[in-house]
Amino acid sequence: MKQLWDYLKVSCKIELENQLIFRSNFFVSILFVIIRVVMLLALWSALYQGKTQVEGISLATMKCYTIVSIVFELFIACKVENSITEKVKDGSISMMLTRPASYPVTLFIEHLAGTFQAVVVWVVPYLLVIFLCGFAKGAQLYLGPWFWLSAAGAYLLMFFYQFFFGMIAFWTQEINGFLQARDAVMLVFSGSMVPLWFFPGRLFSIAQYLPFQAMYSTPLSIMIGKIAGADIRTALLVQAGWILGFGFLAQFCWRKSRRRMIVNGG
Amino acid sequence: MGAKIAYYWNLYWHVLSMQLRSRMSFRLNFFVMLVGVFLREAATLALMVVLVQKFDGLAGWRTWEIAFLYSFVTLTFRNFSSFVGGIGTIPALVRTGEMDVYLLTPSDPLFLINCRNTMIWRSFYNIGIFAVTLYCAYQAGIAFTPGAVCCLAVLILCGMFILFAVYLIVYAAAIRVVEVSALLKILDGVYKQYMVYPIPIYGRVAAWIFTFLLPLGLASYYPSGVLLNRVSGLTMGWGTLAIAAAACLWVAAALLLWRASIRKYNSTGT
């Protein structure tokens, strides 16, 4: 356990140093944060012009949803599938298998380190901009334990989900095409870009049967109060179901793919 | 001059065929990628249509007009990345010192970098995006007269060259500051996510910036607005001419800056 903890500390340090090595680049990143927030707010203000509420959501709440969805996207962002593909392509996956720690555990630690870097470099400046400039003023937000639970669930689900897709690389070596196709579906049905309640009836129903809503829409809807009361428990149970499902699937594919592994030149 | 053009033309196709062969070594991925990228763009467009319809338009623009603006921006960006997007590797070449190799060859380094890394195979799905753009133009009420078709073709080309100029300026800066990934992220993000809406919604200052300082509006809002007759004071013909002139100026400025930066290039020394 201590070794894993040490590995996590070293990974966090490396991730942070990699990000901060070019300082000017880091400050331009902060500028991007401000530009993105300002432009999104302008967009929603233009859309809400002459309207106080749409689908029961006020402009202030919608602005908050949009900004928090960006922060959330940064928080649960995962590079696991790329990391697996690169290692499969260059053969370094064989080295990972000879390590004393299991590869999925190592990957999860690296994922945690990536999140630590994202929180320090991106999430904190974002939140500072949001609160210092008063962008969240007037929004009714719920930031209680259910929200944090669903956020943690979304984080875990994203890891298992990406780990599962990363396994495809053992069969095809290159998975960019699959990722593009998958991201297209995810973009629509996750609710990260356009909240699901703005969808027409049938599309909304389809979204309920897919795992993507459990990644973004569930925690964000709990936060702005669109999911409340007994519905929170149902939403969390559905999310837990997806986590377990993808957890088992990822484990199963990992076992299968290890037997398929071919290392170039090895 | 003729011999030089023939030399570059042959070189371009030679390098391109090599690149296509390398792509085809992952055949399944290649075809899934083509479908995937088209699906992604179609999904984003569909989402935008849903959103704008829910709000009964945006800043006076109707749903299909916004859809046309979106598809125009997407087509311009995809054309840019298909035909001249190879220059996107410049920052990496500068960082690794590989730029030295290109500067030592007898051919033009910019041309070589572009065709070595260009992704012309992406133009397969540009065909689909072009079809969607035409459909959105039809739905938005653009009459397909010979003049309008010519203007559309010229404006798509102008958009591509304006993007080329803007990105080349950033890549030229990479020669001095080495790391420009955050700046590129801003460019990509602002163009693909925010130029798909009419720029006046961002306020006067932003509209001025996107017209004169960072001319992304000239590759998105203005060409679409000119075709839809949404830019006051600019007819389709004059608007197209003005945008074409601006594109020429920006490309000339970017090439001058690129040459000046190349003269100041210091290798990484590894």
Side-chain angles (χ1 to χ4, degrees):
Chain A
M1 198 63 194
K2 191 185 173 297
Q3 281 171 328
L4 292 178
W5 175 246
D6 288 341
Y7 186 60
L8 176 64
K9 280 197 286 187
V10 172
S11 300
C12 287
K13 196 169 168 252
I14 293 170
E15 284 278 353
L16 206 59
E17 279 174 358
N18 279 345
Q19 192 66 33
L20 297 176
I21 201 159
F22 294 105
R23 299 262 156 87
S24 60
N25 201 50
F26 170 68
F27 289 114
V28 175
S29 304
I30 303 292
L31 177 71
F32 182 48
V33 169
I34 297 167
I35 292 175
R36 209 172 164 192
V37 170
V38 169
M39 293 187 92
L40 267 174
L41 297 187
L43 171 66
W44 281 106
S45 300
L47 280 167
Y48 266 84
Q49 209 167 34
K51 299 173 186 78
T52 47
Q53 284 202 335
V54 175
E55 295 286 328
I57 300 291
S58 69
L59 174 61
T61 310
M62 195 58 237
K63 279 179 174 177
C64 221
Y65 179 96
T66 313
I67 294 167
V68 176
S69 90
I70 296 172
V71 177
F72 201 69
E73 200 181 298
L74 294 168
F75 173 67
I76 67 168
C78 197
K79 293 180 283 185
V80 167
E81 47 201 14
N82 292 333
S83 171
I84 297 172
T85 316
E86 288 308 314
K87 286 190 174 70
V88 169
K89 271 201 285 193
D90 66 17
S92 58
I93 188 84
S94 59
M95 297 298 291
M96 305 307 291
L97 294 175
T98 56
R99 284 184 176 184
S102 100
Y103 181 53
V105 173
T106 318
L107 264 181
F108 187 66
I109 290 175
E110 284 168 10
H111 176 43
L112 283 176
T115 308
F116 170 75
Q117 176 262 114
V119 168
V120 173
V121 178
W122 292 98
V123 176
V124 172
Y126 247 120
L127 293 175
L128 277 176
V129 170
I130 293 165
F131 290 108
L132 288 179
C133 301
F135 291 140
K137 217 170 134 185
Q140 302 280 320
L141 299 180
Y142 167 78
L143 293 171
W146 295 126
F147 166 72
W148 293 108
L149 195 63
S150 68
Y155 185 81
L156 212 56
L157 176 57
M158 184 61 113
F159 173 77
F160 285 137
Y161 179 73
Q162 288 218 0
F163 186 78
F164 164 67
F165 266 93
M167 291 298 109
I168 297 175
F170 282 93
W171 277 268
T172 61
Q173 303 239 322
E174 180 60 77
I175 58 166
N176 260 336
F178 291 99
L179 298 188
Q180 290 278 354
R182 184 210 62 189
D183 287 350
V185 184
M186 192 165 153
L187 186 77
V188 177
F189 293 108
S190 67
S192 66
M193 193 176 155
V194 174
L196 296 183
W197 56 83
F198 285 146
F199 281 18
R202 198 172 291 175
L203 217 55
F204 181 78
S205 307
I206 295 171
Q208 299 306 308
Y209 291 102
L210 295 171
F212 312 113
Q213 42 88 24
M215 292 171 186
Y216 288 96
S217 190
T218 304
L220 294 175
S221 300
I222 291 175
M223 184 198 71
I224 63 161
K226 195 75 183 169
I227 297 179
D231 291 344
I232 293 183
R233 250 171 267 166
T234 316
L236 287 178
L237 276 175
V238 170
Q239 194 185 42
W242 283 116
I243 295 169
L244 282 175
F246 272 102
F248 282 123
L249 210 56
Q251 182 66 20
F252 175 75
C253 289
W254 169 236
R255 278 190 195 160
K256 286 273 172 203
S257 48
R258 263 186 304 178
R259 286 185 205 137
R260 264 199 70 91
M261 192 176 69
I262 300 163
V263 178
N264 293 328
Chain B
M1 187 66 184
K4 206 171 179 180
I5 290 172
Y7 166 74
Y8 278 119
W9 179 255
N10 288 334
L11 195 61
Y12 186 70
W13 288 109
H14 184 61
V15 178
L16 224 60
S17 67
M18 284 197 308
Q19 217 213 16
L20 200 61
R21 277 203 296 275
S22 89
R23 281 276 146 193
M24 290 308 270
S25 50
F26 301 109
R27 214 161 285 182
L28 177 65
N29 182 69
F30 178 79
F31 290 111
V32 176
M33 179 89 139
L34 289 183
V35 178
V37 171
F38 182 73
L39 260 180
R40 195 185 161 85
E41 299 302 349
T44 319
L45 177 65
L47 273 183
M48 188 168 292
V49 168
V50 165
L51 186 70
V52 179
Q53 243 165 10
K54 198 86 191 167
F55 286 85
D56 302 323
L58 171 65
W61 285 51
R62 288 175 288 122
T63 305
W64 282 108
E65 290 176 334
I66 296 285
F68 173 67
L69 172 55
Y70 174 82
S71 52
F72 184 90
V73 166
T74 308
L75 183 66
T76 310
F77 191 82
R78 291 289 173 194
N79 275 336
F80 159 72
S81 62
S82 302
F83 296 103
V84 278
I87 59 170
T89 50
I90 291 172
L93 297 178
V94 171
R95 209 168 38 239
T96 57
E98 211 188 316
M99 187 75 172
D100 304 9
V101 180
Y102 289 95
L103 294 175
L104 289 171
T105 56
S107 305
D108 180 60
L110 192 60
F111 173 83
L112 269 189
I113 292 168
N114 183 44
C115 68
R116 170 84 173 77
N117 305 291
T118 199
M119 290 162 277
I120 201 152
W121 47 271
R122 283 187 173 181
S123 50
F124 284 117
Y125 48 68
N126 289 6
I127 298 166
I129 296 169
F130 183 62
V132 173
T133 308
L134 288 183
Y135 179 73
C136 293
Y138 171 74
Q139 290 289 344
I142 295 175
F144 287 100
T145 59
V149 172
C150 283
C151 285
L152 177 65
V154 170
L155 289 169
I156 290 171
L157 274 178
C158 288
M160 190 176 108
F161 281 112
I162 286 169
L163 286 185
F164 168 75
V166 171
Y167 277 84
L168 187 60
I169 290 170
V170 177
Y171 298 142
I175 291 175
R176 286 299 191 85
V177 296
V178 183
E179 183 57 65
V180 287
S181 62
L183 211 55
L184 289 170
K185 211 169 173 177
I186 291 185
L187 268 185
D188 281 352
V190 169
Y191 188 69
K192 286 194 280 187
Q193 290 170 30
Y194 304 110
M195 290 297 112
V196 295
Y197 304 106
I199 56 173
I201 66 165
Y202 302 117
R204 276 187 190 177
V205 177
W208 185 87
I209 290 172
F210 292 128
T211 307
F212 300 107
L213 206 60
L214 184 66
L216 297 178
L218 294 178
S220 55
Y221 166 72
Y222 287 104
S224 314
V226 155
L227 289 164
L228 292 165
N229 201 18
R230 282 269 176 196
V231 184
S232 57
L234 274 182
T235 58
M236 195 187 286
W238 285 110
T240 307
L241 269 179
I243 292 167
C248 290
L249 282 175
W250 274 99
V251 170
L255 287 173
L256 281 175
L257 198 71
W258 166 253
R259 281 190 192 146
S261 301
I262 283 292
R263 271 184 239 121
K264 304 269 179 191
Y265 172 73
N266 288 318
S267 182
T268 48
T270 50

